[in-house]
Amino acid sequence: MNIIQAVLASTLLLLSFTGSSMAQADRDCSDFRSQREAQEFYERNGPGDPHRLDRDKDGIACERN
């Protein structure tokens, strides 16, 4: 293996670890200090509602916080 192949292999290995660690953990309403904080997170992480913070789908996250 020449130096270019070694660097490329190392870079790909590093990217595979970085990519998996960058995946965001599932968030629940109880993870936020306030409804406003949950709403800001909800709006930043759209489209859709992958964290299921808006159960009744009215655009308002964690209404009971």
Side-chain angles (χ1 to χ4, degrees), residues 6-64:
V7 169
L8 180 58
S10 297
T11 302
L12 291 174
L13 182 62
L14 178 63
L15 287 174
S16 71
F17 284 115
T18 304
S20 63
S21 67
M22 289 178 68
Q24 195 169 60
D26 187 43
R27 302 286 299 267
D28 298 312
C29 291
S30 62
D31 294 326
F32 301 98
R33 292 176 294 209
S34 67
Q35 187 279 327
R36 182 179 187 150
E37 183 181 353
Q39 186 71 33
E40 290 171 357
F41 176 85
Y42 171 80
E43 291 172 5
R44 279 193 317 268
N45 289 280
D49 186 16
H51 298 275
R52 297 169 312 281
L53 300 175
D54 180 15
R55 296 283 182 180
D56 61 1
K57 302 184 184 342
D58 65 353
I60 301 172
C62 303
E63 291 174 89
R64 295 185 181 164

